[in-house]
Amino acid sequence: MIELQPKQWTEFTKQHGVHYVYFYTPLCGTCQLATKMLKVVSEALDVNIFSCNLNFIPEKARQYEIESVPCLTIWRDGTIIEKIYAFHSVQHLYEIIKRYE
C-alpha cells in the first residue's frame, strides 16, 4: 500500500481512472486486520491501494463523509463511487476490487 500524504490530495483527486483509498487510524484494531487483508488482495490483483491515516487529515473525513474506519473508498476520475466498511474476508474484498479491474 502507498501512504497518501495530506499534501498529495489535490493531485490525487485530479487522476483519471479507478483508484482505491483505504482510510484508517493506527490504534484501530479492526484497521490493523483490514490492512493485512488489503495487502493480500493488492498483491493478488496487482493493484495499488493508497492508504490514508485520518488522524492527519480529519477534514477529509468530513469532506468525504467517512463514517468510520476502516473504510475502503473506490474512486473514478476523482470522485468516490463506492465506500466499503464491512471487510468480511479477503475473498469478499477481492471480489469487490476485481469488479473494477
Side-chain angles (χ1 to χ4, degrees), residues 19-23 66 71-75 80 82-84:
H19 303 283
Y20 309 94
V21 180
Y22 165 61
F23 292 97
I66 305 300
C71 178
L72 176 64
T73 56
I74 301 172
W75 298 65
I80 294 176
E82 187 173 353
K83 295 178 191 171
I84 293 103

Side-chain angles (χ1 to χ4, degrees), residues 9-37:
W9 269 101
T10 302
E11 287 303 312
F12 173 78
T13 58
K14 292 178 183 175
Q15 292 183 15
H16 294 287
V18 174
H19 303 283
Y20 309 94
V21 180
Y22 165 61
F23 292 97
Y24 72 97
T25 58
L27 298 179
C28 162
T30 306
C31 296
Q32 293 171 15
L33 177 60
T35 298
K36 292 176 185 176
M37 294 167 70

Side-chain angles (χ1 to χ4, degrees), residues 74 82 84 91-100:
I74 301 172
E82 187 173 353
I84 293 103
Q91 182 66 33
H92 176 74
L93 293 171
Y94 179 93
E95 290 171 5
I96 289 171
I97 292 174
K98 182 76 172 161
R99 287 193 319 235
Y100 294 97

Side-chain angles (χ1 to χ4, degrees), residues 3-9 51-52 56-57:
E3 188 71 25
L4 191 58
Q5 301 300 320
K7 62 186 175 189
Q8 296 172 304
W9 269 101
S51 58
C52 191
F56 295 126
I57 55 163

Side-chain angles (χ1 to χ4, degrees), residues 36-94:
K36 292 176 185 176
M37 294 167 70
L38 286 171
K39 283 181 182 178
V40 170
V41 172
S42 152
E43 290 173 10
L45 290 173
D46 194 28
V47 297
N48 288 327
I49 298 176
F50 295 93
S51 58
C52 191
N53 181 344
L54 280 184
N55 287 338
F56 295 126
I57 55 163
E59 70 281 358
K60 297 298 179 195
R62 288 186 292 279
Q63 179 182 354
Y64 298 116
E65 300 176 350
I66 305 300
E67 297 170 10
S68 65
V69 291
C71 178
L72 176 64
T73 56
I74 301 172
W75 298 65
R76 180 175 289 132
D77 300 331
T79 303
I80 294 176
I81 57 172
E82 187 173 353
K83 295 178 191 171
I84 293 103
Y85 294 100
F87 289 49
H88 301 288
S89 66
V90 169
Q91 182 66 33
H92 176 74
L93 293 171
Y94 179 93

